[in-house]
Amino acid sequence: MKLLRRPDLELIGIDKGFRGRQVLRQVSLAVQPGEFIAVLGPSGSGKSTLLKIAAGFEQPDSGSVRLQGEDVTTVPPYRRNINTVFQNYALFPHMTVFDNIAYGLRRKKVPAAEVKQRVAEALALVGLASFGPRQPETLSGGEQQRIALARALVNRPAVLLLDEPLSALDLKIRRRMQGELKRIHEEVGTTFLCVTHDQEEAVVLADRITVMRDGGLEQVGTAREIYDRPATPFVADFVGEMNWLRGEAGGGTVRLADGSALHLPEGISPPAGALRVGVRPERLRIAAAGGTPGAWENALAATIARITFQGPSTVVEARTAAGEAIRCLCGPADAAGSLLPGSAILCLWDAGATLVFETAGARAGPGGVEQAGG
């Protein structure tokens, strides 16, 4: 008989409201040992409140929190084997780096020799072995972030919570820190739950992503599952870019608003009616009008409105005969360099890259077709 792993952290049926406003609605999430989960969503989606409930800083109105199988719903934060890295790092300015990291160990009455050894190990882990005597004010943002991580991990928590951990850093440092955070997670094997509004951060770091909207879970899955097969139009829009086209199904065929035939992924057969068709900009290729689609299964006539060179890629913005805007992200080998605004083109893509949603505001059903009433 196969033994099931017990999750390190379980949030079960969590409801939470503030001043008559429902912030979380029946949220359930299980985080497996050693897993890195990102909770992704826009401001106001409830993700930070969910993190505070996991940490014990807020109490749910209903539902429960379990840590390694134990119900800790009413256990105060300092008695949970959970540590949190905050957005502003929360380093003590009057303490050295060493004393900041040692603070939690000393409160637990850990012997001085062990404190020294564990702090040294934590500093080495984050690549700042010689920084013990430094003051926090002398550190860069990226260095402060790593010290905050070392302070949290030195206590060997069962679960590490991260609240928008990289949002205060500029783009270059943020991307470097993404790699550092991934390395640290892989090295220590601690279970991480990270709240972020940054889709790139979630995709790069997480084993699984939880997308939240208006206090509920829209979809939970790997980055590839969420990107390639989003459950709702909201997820499709929030994680990456999407072109939306109007379509109609009926009589065994599917047509776009300009009348062109649409080929769908194998196994998808939407019922008759209006469709919302999605295709990501990087899945499109362009060719001059009058050419042949070749091996591409879908072809849509359009006229170029704007071309924007972005170094390794070029963005072609066009408009279809039905008046719909469409964006194509082209590589160096594409035809974009030889075309001009006003040129007539064909937008080409594979049937497998097509997303189809039957109605707005409902969840996806079998085969990726969104169904009403879900």
CSV table of all heavy atoms in Angstrom, one decimal, residues 226-270:
chain,number,residue,atom,x,y,z
A,226,ILE,N,-0.5,26.2,-15.3
A,226,ILE,CA,-1.3,27.5,-15.2
A,226,ILE,C,-1.1,28.3,-16.4
A,226,ILE,O,-2.0,29.0,-16.9
A,226,ILE,CB,-0.9,28.2,-13.9
A,226,ILE,CG1,-1.5,27.5,-12.7
A,226,ILE,CG2,-1.2,29.7,-13.9
A,226,ILE,CD1,-1.1,28.0,-11.4
A,227,TYR,N,0.1,28.3,-17.0
A,227,TYR,CA,0.4,29.1,-18.1
A,227,TYR,C,-0.2,28.5,-19.4
A,227,TYR,O,-0.8,29.2,-20.2
A,227,TYR,CB,1.9,29.3,-18.3
A,227,TYR,CG,2.3,30.3,-19.3
A,227,TYR,CD1,2.4,31.7,-19.0
A,227,TYR,CD2,2.7,30.0,-20.6
A,227,TYR,CE1,2.7,32.6,-19.9
A,227,TYR,CE2,3.0,30.9,-21.6
A,227,TYR,CZ,3.1,32.3,-21.2
A,227,TYR,OH,3.4,33.2,-22.1
A,228,ASP,N,0.0,27.2,-19.6
A,228,ASP,CA,-0.5,26.6,-20.8
A,228,ASP,C,-2.0,26.3,-20.8
A,228,ASP,O,-2.7,26.3,-21.9
A,228,ASP,CB,0.3,25.3,-21.1
A,228,ASP,CG,1.7,25.6,-21.6
A,228,ASP,OD1,2.0,26.7,-22.0
A,228,ASP,OD2,2.5,24.7,-21.5
A,229,ARG,N,-2.5,26.0,-19.6
A,229,ARG,CA,-3.9,25.6,-19.5
A,229,ARG,C,-4.6,26.3,-18.4
A,229,ARG,O,-5.0,25.7,-17.4
A,229,ARG,CB,-4.1,24.1,-19.4
A,229,ARG,CG,-3.8,23.3,-20.7
A,229,ARG,CD,-5.0,23.5,-21.7
A,229,ARG,NE,-4.7,23.0,-23.0
A,229,ARG,CZ,-4.4,23.7,-24.0
A,229,ARG,NH1,-4.4,25.0,-23.9
A,229,ARG,NH2,-4.2,23.2,-25.2
A,230,PRO,N,-4.7,27.6,-18.5
A,230,PRO,CA,-5.4,28.4,-17.4
A,230,PRO,C,-6.8,28.0,-17.2
A,230,PRO,O,-7.5,27.7,-18.2
A,230,PRO,CB,-5.2,29.8,-17.8
A,230,PRO,CG,-5.1,29.8,-19.3
A,230,PRO,CD,-4.3,28.5,-19.6
A,231,ALA,N,-7.3,27.9,-16.0
A,231,ALA,CA,-8.7,27.5,-15.7
A,231,ALA,C,-9.7,28.5,-16.0
A,231,ALA,O,-10.9,28.2,-16.3
A,231,ALA,CB,-8.8,27.0,-14.3
A,232,THR,N,-9.3,29.8,-16.0
A,232,THR,CA,-10.3,30.9,-16.2
A,232,THR,C,-9.6,32.0,-17.0
A,232,THR,O,-8.4,32.1,-17.1
A,232,THR,CB,-10.8,31.5,-14.9
A,232,THR,OG1,-9.7,32.1,-14.2
A,232,THR,CG2,-11.4,30.4,-13.9
A,233,PRO,N,-10.4,32.9,-17.6
A,233,PRO,CA,-9.8,34.0,-18.3
A,233,PRO,C,-9.0,34.9,-17.4
A,233,PRO,O,-8.0,35.5,-17.8
A,233,PRO,CB,-11.0,34.8,-18.9
A,233,PRO,CG,-12.1,33.7,-19.0
A,233,PRO,CD,-11.9,32.8,-17.9
A,234,PHE,N,-9.4,35.0,-16.1
A,234,PHE,CA,-8.6,35.8,-15.2
A,234,PHE,C,-7.2,35.3,-15.0
A,234,PHE,O,-6.2,36.0,-15.1
A,234,PHE,CB,-9.3,35.8,-13.8
A,234,PHE,CG,-8.4,36.5,-12.7
A,234,PHE,CD1,-8.4,37.9,-12.6
A,234,PHE,CD2,-7.7,35.7,-11.9
A,234,PHE,CE1,-7.6,38.5,-11.7
A,234,PHE,CE2,-6.9,36.3,-10.9
A,234,PHE,CZ,-6.8,37.7,-10.8
A,235,VAL,N,-7.1,33.9,-14.9
A,235,VAL,CA,-5.8,33.3,-14.7
A,235,VAL,C,-4.9,33.5,-16.0
A,235,VAL,O,-3.8,33.9,-16.0
A,235,VAL,CB,-5.9,31.8,-14.4
A,235,VAL,CG1,-4.5,31.2,-14.4
A,235,VAL,CG2,-6.5,31.6,-13.0
A,236,ALA,N,-5.6,33.4,-17.2
A,236,ALA,CA,-4.9,33.5,-18.4
A,236,ALA,C,-4.4,34.9,-18.6
A,236,ALA,O,-3.3,35.2,-19.1
A,236,ALA,CB,-5.9,33.2,-19.6
A,237,ASP,N,-5.1,35.9,-18.1
A,237,ASP,CA,-4.7,37.3,-18.2
A,237,ASP,C,-3.6,37.7,-17.2
A,237,ASP,O,-2.7,38.5,-17.5
A,237,ASP,CB,-5.9,38.3,-18.0
A,237,ASP,CG,-6.6,38.6,-19.3
A,237,ASP,OD1,-5.9,38.7,-20.4
A,237,ASP,OD2,-7.8,38.8,-19.3
A,238,PHE,N,-3.8,37.1,-16.0
A,238,PHE,CA,-2.9,37.5,-14.9
A,238,PHE,C,-1.5,36.9,-15.0
A,238,PHE,O,-0.5,37.5,-14.6
A,238,PHE,CB,-3.5,37.1,-13.5
A,238,PHE,CG,-2.9,37.8,-12.4
A,238,PHE,CD1,-3.0,39.1,-12.1
A,238,PHE,CD2,-2.0,37.1,-11.5
A,238,PHE,CE1,-2.4,39.8,-11.1
A,238,PHE,CE2,-1.4,37.7,-10.5
A,238,PHE,CZ,-1.6,39.0,-10.2
A,239,VAL,N,-1.4,35.7,-15.5
A,239,VAL,CA,-0.2,35.0,-15.7
A,239,VAL,C,0.2,35.0,-17.1
A,239,VAL,O,-0.2,34.2,-17.9
A,239,VAL,CB,-0.2,33.5,-15.1
A,239,VAL,CG1,1.1,32.9,-15.2
A,239,VAL,CG2,-0.7,33.5,-13.7
A,240,GLY,N,1.0,36.0,-17.5
A,240,GLY,CA,1.4,36.2,-18.9
A,240,GLY,C,0.5,37.1,-19.6
A,240,GLY,O,-0.5,37.7,-19.1
A,241,GLU,N,0.7,37.3,-20.9
A,241,GLU,CA,-0.2,38.1,-21.8
A,241,GLU,C,-1.1,37.2,-22.6
A,241,GLU,O,-0.7,36.0,-22.9
A,241,GLU,CB,0.7,38.9,-22.7
A,241,GLU,CG,1.4,40.1,-22.1
A,241,GLU,CD,2.1,41.0,-23.1
A,241,GLU,OE1,1.4,41.6,-23.9
A,241,GLU,OE2,3.3,41.0,-23.1
A,242,MET,N,-2.2,37.7,-23.1
A,242,MET,CA,-3.1,37.0,-23.8
A,242,MET,C,-3.8,37.8,-24.9
A,242,MET,O,-4.2,39.0,-24.6
A,242,MET,CB,-4.2,36.4,-22.9
A,242,MET,CG,-5.2,35.4,-23.6
A,242,MET,SD,-4.3,33.9,-24.2
A,242,MET,CE,-3.9,33.1,-22.7
A,243,ASN,N,-3.9,37.3,-26.1
A,243,ASN,CA,-4.8,37.9,-27.1
A,243,ASN,C,-6.2,37.3,-27.0
A,243,ASN,O,-6.3,36.0,-27.0
A,243,ASN,CB,-4.2,37.7,-28.5
A,243,ASN,CG,-2.9,38.4,-28.8
A,243,ASN,OD1,-2.9,39.6,-28.7
A,243,ASN,ND2,-1.9,37.7,-29.2
A,244,TRP,N,-7.2,38.1,-27.0
A,244,TRP,CA,-8.6,37.6,-26.9
A,244,TRP,C,-9.3,37.9,-28.3
A,244,TRP,O,-9.2,39.0,-28.8
A,244,TRP,CB,-9.3,38.2,-25.8
A,244,TRP,CG,-8.8,37.8,-24.4
A,244,TRP,CD1,-8.2,38.6,-23.5
A,244,TRP,CD2,-8.9,36.5,-23.9
A,244,TRP,NE1,-7.9,37.9,-22.4
A,244,TRP,CE2,-8.3,36.6,-22.6
A,244,TRP,CE3,-9.5,35.3,-24.3
A,244,TRP,CZ2,-8.2,35.5,-21.7
A,244,TRP,CZ3,-9.4,34.2,-23.4
A,244,TRP,CH2,-8.8,34.3,-22.2
A,245,LEU,N,-9.9,36.9,-28.8
A,245,LEU,CA,-10.7,37.0,-30.1
A,245,LEU,C,-12.1,36.4,-29.9
A,245,LEU,O,-12.3,35.5,-29.1
A,245,LEU,CB,-10.0,36.2,-31.2
A,245,LEU,CG,-8.5,36.6,-31.5
A,245,LEU,CD1,-7.8,35.5,-32.3
A,245,LEU,CD2,-8.4,37.9,-32.1
A,246,ARG,N,-13.0,37.0,-30.6
A,246,ARG,CA,-14.4,36.5,-30.5
A,246,ARG,C,-14.6,35.3,-31.5
A,246,ARG,O,-14.0,35.3,-32.6
A,246,ARG,CB,-15.4,37.6,-30.9
A,246,ARG,CG,-15.3,38.8,-30.0
A,246,ARG,CD,-16.5,39.8,-30.3
A,246,ARG,NE,-16.6,40.2,-31.7
A,246,ARG,CZ,-15.9,41.1,-32.2
A,246,ARG,NH1,-15.0,41.8,-31.5
A,246,ARG,NH2,-16.1,41.4,-33.5
A,247,GLY,N,-15.3,34.3,-31.0
A,247,GLY,CA,-15.5,33.2,-31.9
A,247,GLY,C,-17.0,32.7,-31.7
A,247,GLY,O,-17.7,33.1,-30.8
A,248,GLU,N,-17.3,31.8,-32.6
A,248,GLU,CA,-18.7,31.2,-32.5
A,248,GLU,C,-18.6,29.7,-32.9
A,248,GLU,O,-18.0,29.4,-34.0
A,248,GLU,CB,-19.6,31.9,-33.5
A,248,GLU,CG,-21.1,31.5,-33.4
A,248,GLU,CD,-21.8,32.3,-32.3
A,248,GLU,OE1,-21.4,33.3,-31.9
A,248,GLU,OE2,-22.9,31.7,-31.9
A,249,ALA,N,-19.2,28.9,-32.1
A,249,ALA,CA,-19.3,27.4,-32.4
A,249,ALA,C,-20.7,27.0,-32.9
A,249,ALA,O,-21.7,27.5,-32.3
A,249,ALA,CB,-18.9,26.6,-31.2
A,250,GLY,N,-20.7,26.2,-33.9
A,250,GLY,CA,-22.0,25.7,-34.4
A,250,GLY,C,-21.9,24.9,-35.6
A,250,GLY,O,-21.0,25.1,-36.4
A,251,GLY,N,-22.7,23.8,-35.7
A,251,GLY,CA,-22.7,23.0,-36.9
A,251,GLY,C,-21.4,22.2,-37.1
A,251,GLY,O,-21.0,21.9,-38.2
A,252,GLY,N,-20.7,22.0,-36.0
A,252,GLY,CA,-19.5,21.2,-36.1
A,252,GLY,C,-18.3,22.0,-36.4
A,252,GLY,O,-17.2,21.5,-36.6
A,253,THR,N,-18.4,23.3,-36.6
A,253,THR,CA,-17.3,24.2,-36.9
A,253,THR,C,-17.2,25.3,-35.9
A,253,THR,O,-18.2,25.7,-35.2
A,253,THR,CB,-17.5,24.8,-38.3
A,253,THR,OG1,-18.6,25.7,-38.3
A,253,THR,CG2,-17.6,23.7,-39.4
A,254,VAL,N,-16.0,25.9,-35.8
A,254,VAL,CA,-15.8,27.1,-35.0
A,254,VAL,C,-15.2,28.2,-35.9
A,254,VAL,O,-14.2,27.9,-36.7
A,254,VAL,CB,-14.8,26.8,-33.8
A,254,VAL,CG1,-14.5,28.0,-33.0
A,254,VAL,CG2,-15.4,25.7,-32.9
A,255,ARG,N,-15.8,29.4,-35.8
A,255,ARG,CA,-15.3,30.5,-36.6
A,255,ARG,C,-15.0,31.7,-35.8
A,255,ARG,O,-15.7,32.0,-34.8
A,255,ARG,CB,-16.3,30.8,-37.7
A,255,ARG,CG,-16.5,29.7,-38.7
A,255,ARG,CD,-17.1,30.2,-40.1
A,255,ARG,NE,-17.1,29.1,-41.0
A,255,ARG,CZ,-16.1,28.9,-41.8
A,255,ARG,NH1,-15.0,29.6,-41.8
A,255,ARG,NH2,-16.1,27.8,-42.7
A,256,LEU,N,-14.0,32.4,-36.2
A,256,LEU,CA,-13.6,33.7,-35.6
A,256,LEU,C,-14.5,34.8,-36.1
A,256,LEU,O,-15.3,34.6,-37.1
A,256,LEU,CB,-12.2,34.0,-35.8
A,256,LEU,CG,-11.2,33.1,-35.1
A,256,LEU,CD1,-9.7,33.4,-35.5
A,256,LEU,CD2,-11.3,33.0,-33.6
A,257,ALA,N,-14.4,36.0,-35.5
A,257,ALA,CA,-15.3,37.1,-35.8
A,257,ALA,C,-15.2,37.5,-37.3
A,257,ALA,O,-16.1,38.1,-37.9
A,257,ALA,CB,-15.1,38.2,-34.9
A,258,ASP,N,-14.0,37.3,-37.9
A,258,ASP,CA,-13.8,37.7,-39.3
A,258,ASP,C,-14.2,36.7,-40.3
A,258,ASP,O,-14.1,36.8,-41.5
A,258,ASP,CB,-12.3,38.1,-39.5
A,258,ASP,CG,-11.4,36.9,-39.5
A,258,ASP,OD1,-11.8,35.8,-38.9
A,258,ASP,OD2,-10.3,37.0,-40.0
A,259,GLY,N,-14.8,35.5,-39.7
A,259,GLY,CA,-15.3,34.5,-40.6
A,259,GLY,C,-14.3,33.4,-40.8
A,259,GLY,O,-14.6,32.3,-41.4
A,260,SER,N,-13.0,33.5,-40.4
A,260,SER,CA,-12.0,32.5,-40.7
A,260,SER,C,-12.3,31.2,-39.8
A,260,SER,O,-12.7,31.4,-38.6
A,260,SER,CB,-10.6,33.0,-40.5
A,260,SER,OG,-10.5,33.5,-39.2
A,261,ALA,N,-12.0,30.1,-40.3
A,261,ALA,CA,-12.2,28.8,-39.6
A,261,ALA,C,-11.1,28.7,-38.5
A,261,ALA,O,-10.0,29.1,-38.7
A,261,ALA,CB,-12.1,27.6,-40.5
A,262,LEU,N,-11.5,28.1,-37.4
A,262,LEU,CA,-10.6,28.0,-36.2
A,262,LEU,C,-10.4,26.5,-35.9
A,262,LEU,O,-11.4,25.8,-35.7
A,262,LEU,CB,-11.2,28.7,-35.0
A,262,LEU,CG,-10.3,28.6,-33.7
A,262,LEU,CD1,-9.0,29.4,-33.9
A,262,LEU,CD2,-11.1,29.2,-32.5
A,263,HIS,N,-9.2,26.1,-35.9
A,263,HIS,CA,-8.9,24.7,-35.5
A,263,HIS,C,-8.5,24.7,-34.0
A,263,HIS,O,-7.7,25.5,-33.5
A,263,HIS,CB,-7.7,24.2,-36.3
A,263,HIS,CG,-8.0,24.0,-37.7
A,263,HIS,ND1,-7.9,25.0,-38.7
A,263,HIS,CD2,-8.5,22.9,-38.4
A,263,HIS,CE1,-8.2,24.6,-39.8
A,263,HIS,NE2,-8.6,23.3,-39.7
A,264,LEU,N,-9.1,23.8,-33.2
A,264,LEU,CA,-8.9,23.7,-31.8
A,264,LEU,C,-8.0,22.5,-31.4
A,264,LEU,O,-7.8,21.6,-32.2
A,264,LEU,CB,-10.3,23.5,-31.1
A,264,LEU,CG,-11.3,24.6,-31.3
A,264,LEU,CD1,-12.6,24.3,-30.6
A,264,LEU,CD2,-10.7,26.0,-30.9
A,265,PRO,N,-7.5,22.5,-30.2
A,265,PRO,CA,-6.7,21.4,-29.7
A,265,PRO,C,-7.5,20.1,-29.8
A,265,PRO,O,-8.7,20.1,-29.6
A,265,PRO,CB,-6.3,21.7,-28.3
A,265,PRO,CG,-6.4,23.2,-28.2
A,265,PRO,CD,-7.5,23.6,-29.2
A,266,GLU,N,-6.8,19.0,-30.0
A,266,GLU,CA,-7.5,17.7,-30.1
A,266,GLU,C,-8.3,17.4,-28.9
A,266,GLU,O,-7.8,17.6,-27.8
A,266,GLU,CB,-6.4,16.6,-30.4
A,266,GLU,CG,-7.0,15.2,-30.7
A,266,GLU,CD,-5.9,14.2,-31.0
A,266,GLU,OE1,-4.7,14.6,-31.2
A,266,GLU,OE2,-6.2,13.0,-31.0
A,267,GLY,N,-9.5,16.9,-29.1
A,267,GLY,CA,-10.3,16.5,-27.9
A,267,GLY,C,-11.2,17.6,-27.4
A,267,GLY,O,-12.0,17.4,-26.5
A,268,ILE,N,-11.1,18.8,-27.9
A,268,ILE,CA,-11.9,19.9,-27.4
A,268,ILE,C,-13.0,20.2,-28.5
A,268,ILE,O,-12.7,20.4,-29.6
A,268,ILE,CB,-11.1,21.2,-27.2
A,268,ILE,CG1,-10.2,21.0,-26.0
A,268,ILE,CG2,-12.0,22.4,-27.0
A,268,ILE,CD1,-9.4,22.3,-25.7
A,269,SER,N,-14.3,20.1,-28.0
A,269,SER,CA,-15.4,20.3,-28.9
A,269,SER,C,-16.4,21.1,-28.1
A,269,SER,O,-17.3,20.6,-27.4
A,269,SER,CB,-16.0,18.9,-29.3
A,269,SER,OG,-17.1,19.1,-30.2
A,270,PRO,N,-16.4,22.4,-28.2
A,270,PRO,CA,-17.3,23.3,-27.4
A,270,PRO,C,-18.7,23.2,-27.9
A,270,PRO,O,-18.9,23.0,-29.1
A,270,PRO,CB,-16.7,24.7,-27.6
A,270,PRO,CG,-16.0,24.6,-28.9
A,270,PRO,CD,-15.4,23.2,-29.0
